[in-house]
Amino acid sequence: MIQRIQSVYLLLMTILLVVAICLPVGQFIGSDGIATHVFKPLGVTLADGSFQSTWGLFGILLLSAIIALCTIFLFRNRMLQVRMTIFGSLLLIGYYIAFFVFMFILKGDLNAMSFQLGWALCLPAVCIILNYLAFRAIYRDELMVKAADRLR
């Protein structure tokens, strides 16, 4: 079962989440129209070189990547795999909620006029889609096993 398509989905999800941890998700734009602060999941680098931590976003992405990687090896317990994929999707939805909370709080604290989203912000959404595809494949395997048991 480890060579099934859900393993590919979950491995791809893990890789995308690690990439999302490393890339900036946006920039705060000052009143003069110049990008002054880079927003990464670990924190915001200020123009003067100091650092404002947003470690919660980093933690959610790291936990989601670890869960996706561990879910690959739970192939003998498909119902636990299903629960783990659902939990991973809920974590990624929570990531977006936490991101917008951090963004609005930091926007006020940094006196920024606007926020420019980065392309790395779409990676967790792609991971939610991959998680759904893995969920469907795992559940289809579970139904196939139950049908085979019923025939015996």
Side-chain angles (χ1 to χ4, degrees), residues 24-30 33-40 99-100 103 107 112-121:
V25 292
Q27 297 176 355
F28 289 101
I29 307 296
I34 299 172
T36 55
H37 312 291
V38 177
F39 189 1
K40 291 185 178 181
F99 169 77
F100 285 113
M103 184 185 72
K107 187 176 176 183
M113 287 294 283
S114 64
F115 184 78
Q116 180 182 8
L117 296 174
W119 67 271
L121 192 61

Side-chain angles (χ1 to χ4, degrees), residues 10 66-75 81 84-85 138:
L10 291 168
I66 291 170
I67 286 173
L69 187 63
C70 291
T71 303
I72 294 171
F73 300 105
L74 295 174
F75 58 90
Q81 256 187 333
M84 295 296 276
T85 56
I138 294 165

Side-chain angles (χ1 to χ4, degrees), residues 1 8 13 15 19 30 33 38 40 44 49 54 56 61-63 71 73 76 79 88 90-91 107 111-112 122 140 144:
M1 289 282 189
V8 174
M13 183 179 154
I15 292 168
V19 169
V38 177
K40 291 185 178 181
V44 177
T54 57
L61 287 177
L62 185 64
L63 184 62
T71 303
F73 300 105
R76 289 192 179 111
M79 291 314 292
L90 291 176
L91 268 176
K107 187 176 176 183
N111 297 325
C122 72
R140 187 175 53 234
M144 197 172 14

